[in-house]
Amino acid sequence: MLKLHAFGEVLIDFLQNPAEPAQFQRFAGGAPANVAVAFSRLGGKAAFIGMLGQDMFGDFLLQSLAEHGVETAFCQRTDDAKTALAFVALDQYGERHFSFYRPPAADLLFRPAHFSPDCFIANSIWHICSNSLTEPAISESTFYGLQQARKAGALISVDANLRHNLWPAGMADRQLVTQVLLQADVVKLSNDELAYLADGNEPAYCQQLLDAGVQWLVVTAAGAAVRSITAYGEQQLAVPTINVVDTTAAGDAFVAGWLLQLAQRLDTSHSLTELLRSSDWQHAILQFAIRCGAFACQRQGAFASLPRLAANGTLV
């Protein structure tokens, strides 16, 4: 199976207690870290690459990653900034609203020199999100990592995961985010993210990604159908009706399930092109990803909500 290397932010989610709105409970989180943890819990081999503060929250996150089987040898620590915090309020539908304490934050201080050469290997998946683009220095590190991973022969995965309030202008930089997406092999967007990035012309934007070399674009839309877009056409997959408790890690669980299925199949002599030529394979891979996302929606927290794969194939 291909190994997953996830780069970016790991942080503390303080999740609001619905019964006591003034109370917040600590959870380990951060989108790329969530993907690494879910990938590991589902049976894959994952490493997280990023910077943590030399503080009690950094200690907690490093311990949490290791407890879930994620390799932490590529993690760095710093005294120059604290670990990032996010306060998460949930509405009556389980949808989250974030208030970030970042910048300054430790994850923004990761520099190209902090990467180990062992971060970049063939037969691996290199996964990032857009939150490591919000400042020039961390953006430079992100693009450096992408370039090195590409040179090594890794499959590049990008989940836009736009958090507009993390950007200095209050809205994500369309051009910069698109620049990263254009370097990916597989891309996951939400319907809202696609609408924002496409700025009124979604078909042309999707075609731009495919023309640049993106082989598989997946677009999610909460409780609506998942769209699978490739050079061979588009299909839609229904999602189950569930009792939503917390959507914090739903997209990350979906991505982890998607990447795990790719990691398994691409390690058995199948090429990505071969997989994508088969609508049945696309359907099977995404059905598993949908199950993972739905599972996470029904539980609170980030790491804490992510599924494990039992021996009989059920999620627990």
Side-chain angles (χ1 to χ4, degrees), residues 78 164 221 278:
T78 181
H164 293 289
S278 168

Side-chain angles (χ1 to χ4, degrees), residues 2 10 25 78 88 114 135 140 168 196 223 236 256 313:
L2 273 60
V10 59
Q25 184 176 356
T78 181
V88 188
H114 292 132
E135 293 188 352
E140 178 185 350
Y196 174 76
Q236 297 193 16

Side-chain angles (χ1 to χ4, degrees), residues 9-226:
E9 77 275 10
V10 59
L11 49 79
I12 300 294
D13 285 328
F14 281 103
L15 188 64
Q16 188 178 48
N17 181 345
E20 297 288 343
Q23 296 181 0
F24 289 81
Q25 184 176 356
R26 179 186 69 173
F27 290 94
N34 291 339
V35 171
V37 167
F39 192 91
S40 175
R41 286 167 66 103
L42 291 168
K45 185 176 181 181
F48 179 75
I49 305 160
M51 183 74 74
L52 300 91
Q54 199 71 260
D55 52 33
M56 69 174 70
F57 293 133
D59 293 342
F60 170 71
L61 291 170
L62 203 63
Q63 180 182 352
S64 297
L65 287 166
E67 286 176 350
H68 292 290
V70 175
E71 184 181 338
T72 60
F74 303 133
C75 291
Q76 303 289 328
R77 306 292 297 272
T78 181
D79 285 317
D80 293 334
K82 299 296 185 182
T83 301
L85 308 178
F87 287 82
V88 188
L90 300 175
D91 64 21
Q92 59 182 323
Y93 305 108
E95 289 294 334
R96 63 266 196 270
H97 304 276
F98 293 94
S99 179
F100 291 99
Y101 283 67
R102 173 187 184 260
D107 65 284
L108 298 171
L109 301 183
F110 197 100
R111 299 293 178 260
H114 292 132
F115 285 112
S116 164
D118 293 334
C119 293
F120 310 112
I121 57 174
N123 297 320
S124 68
I125 299 173
W126 181 267
H127 177 72
I128 64 164
C129 302
S130 71
N131 295 333
S132 56
L133 301 174
T134 56
E135 293 188 352
I138 189 62
S139 180
E140 178 185 350
S141 300
T142 301
F143 278 97
Y144 176 85
L146 280 175
Q147 293 162 2
Q148 297 306 308
R150 175 69 72 192
K151 286 180 183 178
L155 182 83
I156 307 298
S157 163
V158 181
D159 175 10
N161 193 49
L162 298 182
R163 297 287 177 263
H164 293 289
N165 55 348
L166 288 178
W167 293 77
M171 296 298 287
D173 184 325
R174 286 190 180 94
Q175 183 177 358
L176 191 59
V177 174
T178 298
Q179 189 177 346
V180 164
L181 298 181
L182 292 173
Q183 298 189 38
D185 296 299
V186 297
V187 169
K188 184 263 183 187
L189 300 173
S190 72
N191 200 46
D192 290 344
E193 289 165 348
L194 175 57
Y196 174 76
L197 294 170
D199 196 20
N201 197 341
E202 295 181 18
Y205 190 83
C206 293
Q207 192 59 51
Q208 179 189 4
L209 296 181
L210 295 177
D211 290 345
V214 173
Q215 298 186 64
W216 198 356
L217 170 61
V218 172
V219 182
T220 61
V226 171

